[in-house]
Amino acid sequence: MTKKRNYNLIFGIILSSFVVILLTVGVFWTPYNPDTMNASQRLKAPSAEHILGTDNFGRDIFSRVLKGGVSTLWISVSTVLVGLIFGVIVGAFTGYYGGILDEVVMRLNDVLNSFPSILLSLVLVSLLGPGKKNVVIALGLLFIPSFARITRSEFSRIKSLDYVKSAKLIGVPSLRIMFVHILPNTINTLLSTIAIGFNNAVLAEASLSFLGIGVQPPDPSLGRMLAESQTYLFSAPWYTLSAGGMIVLLILGFGLLSDGLGDIE
Amino acid sequence: MYIIRKTVSLFLTLFLFSFAAFMAFQIIPGDSVVAMLGTEATPEQIAQMRSELGYDKPLLTRYWNWITGFAKGDLGISQGYKLPVADILRDKIPITAALSILAFLMVVIISFPLGILYAKLLGSPLNPLLVALNQIVMSIPPFFIGIIFTSVFGIGLRLFTPGNFVSYKDDPAGFWLYLVFPALAIALPRSAQTIKLLRSSILTETTKDYVRSGTSRGNTKNRLLYVHVLRNALIPVITFLAMTFSNIVAGSLIIEQIFVIPGIGRLLLLSISNRDYPMVLTIVMIIALVVILMNYLADILCQIVDPRTRIR
């Protein structure tokens, strides 16, 4: 094989860190207060003063995109964490022990995995009620299967390796083998799944909020901004493009990162 | 043997899902009977309504009644519309089905030739540009494309009137025309994903030994590609397309909202906000049926294209 540069990884890292740094700044500082309305500055085009223009209430769009992006990213991080923690536990036990439980859990996983996550999250959120916390719970639950599946396949592969066998022979407790000896060896594969998880979480959160059943006001959200901007697309296209552009940047960055991480082996 | 095993697994999956979905809607907080009758209802009225709807029977009996009713096409009564769910759905399903099928056809029509072309262009200076472009299109959410389409093609170029949905009965041509842009909005990111998969699948296949032997026997590149490589390269794509179809159905739920198409998606969102749970449960079950059936068909199709999967 010829040695090829991993462009996906390079661009993925550059783009995601750019967005994440930008949003981290947005946590502490935005050029304007994102909620301050200014009637004399309604729907102004991008300028030196407001680099992404202003919205229908005269609020600075760049500040709002930052705040919305922070909220979206925060929800995605929480969601991925919920999915990751429970997914790894389920996958570790089913992969390590196998047996009937493994069969049942994996069948269920197959069903959930083949199901469009947007639809299921819609139903779950409708059962739980809208709001930030419930979006995280619903999406987190839905992300468990994908992490469980990857962890399981890694565990069932690694458990038959010699070092695990010898650890068993000298009497290392099963839990210790699973989480101290096997888990660190699955990190590579898990990283790529985490990146794609972020990708899906951003998309799912934006879709739910776009439909009005995700994050509720006053919490900012990119999806809801996009829905609100629809009305002003003609008088203020920069409004829609900024909100949508931020979503695209997030998804693009994490997508490339996931591809790049997957190519490493 | 393979088909029998897959069919058994199909019914098992359907059972598991329907049971889980039914149970999920039973444990929700808030009594739907009270929601139907209003808070003024007397306990006797509530009790009567409950027994009319069969809510006083044990859970398993109710599940059995619901699922056998579902199989017969008796979908229960919508609490919001006070009409049989089946009657309401009769007009909505064809619209969402038409939108989904149109979008799916677009994905296939766009991605197959482009995927093959992209694979052929490996090593050309255009290659990195196309890969980057593809990656970007892949990352644009369908609802964002939808918004841009409504304004550019709808309000700007007046190719269709957003919000002015044309019913099939009134004007079949206008109906399909109205669906073109929503379908395209769903299809574009999906096509980009399919192109990427097909391209990498073809490129992986071409490094295999049989292609080298084929070349050494004097086969032309095109003959190798279309006769041998493509057949193998399509196997992962078929599985992916089955998943794509279910994603398209889910995507159409959101797109219907933007283009104001009176299909299942709008009905689902309305039912969710009205807490009309029999309706929500039915719609979810119908979509589940489509998703699970598509995956089943993909498995069977893969096995026909590639008999090796029988062993796995």
Side-chain angles (χ1 to χ4, degrees), chain A residues 192-216:
Chain A
S192 162
T193 318
I194 290 172
I196 201 75
F198 269 119
N199 198 332
N200 292 332
V202 170
L203 185 62
E205 191 277 321
S207 312
L208 286 179
S209 304
F210 179 77
L211 292 173
I213 55 172
V215 178
Q216 298 297 311

Side-chain angles (χ1 to χ4, degrees), chain B residues 172-241:
Chain B
F175 168 76
W176 288 107
L177 223 60
Y178 190 85
L179 290 185
V180 165
F181 288 104
L184 197 60
I186 305 171
L188 274 181
R190 290 282 149 200
S191 306
Q193 286 177 338
T194 317
I195 289 171
K196 187 178 172 186
L197 180 69
L198 183 58
R199 174 181 180 272
S200 75
S201 179
I202 291 176
L203 293 180
T204 315
E205 279 301 316
T206 44
T207 61
K208 294 208 172 141
D209 285 345
Y210 74 90
V211 178
R212 204 182 48 194
S213 330
T215 318
S216 66
R217 286 197 200 93
N219 287 299
T220 60
K221 253 194 160 162
N222 274 337
R223 190 185 140 76
L224 269 176
L225 177 64
Y226 292 110
V227 179
H228 302 287
V229 170
L230 212 52
R231 189 180 163 132
N232 288 316
L234 277 180
I235 296 161
V237 179
I238 292 174
T239 319
F240 180 77
L241 281 177

Side-chain angles (χ1 to χ4, degrees), chain A residues 146-200:
Chain A
S146 60
F147 288 110
R149 173 188 282 217
I150 298 286
T151 314
R152 176 191 172 270
S153 73
E154 284 291 287
F155 266 69
S156 61
R157 180 179 66 84
I158 296 174
K159 77 171 178 198
S160 53
L161 294 184
D162 284 342
Y163 82 92
V164 177
K165 283 184 190 156
S166 36
K168 268 188 205 165
L169 273 179
I170 59 172
V172 181
S174 296
L175 276 179
R176 195 180 156 80
I177 297 183
M178 283 159 71
F179 292 103
V180 179
H181 298 298
I182 300 185
L183 191 60
N185 288 304
T186 62
I187 296 285
N188 250 354
T189 327
L190 275 180
L191 273 180
S192 162
T193 318
I194 290 172
I196 201 75
F198 269 119
N199 198 332
N200 292 332

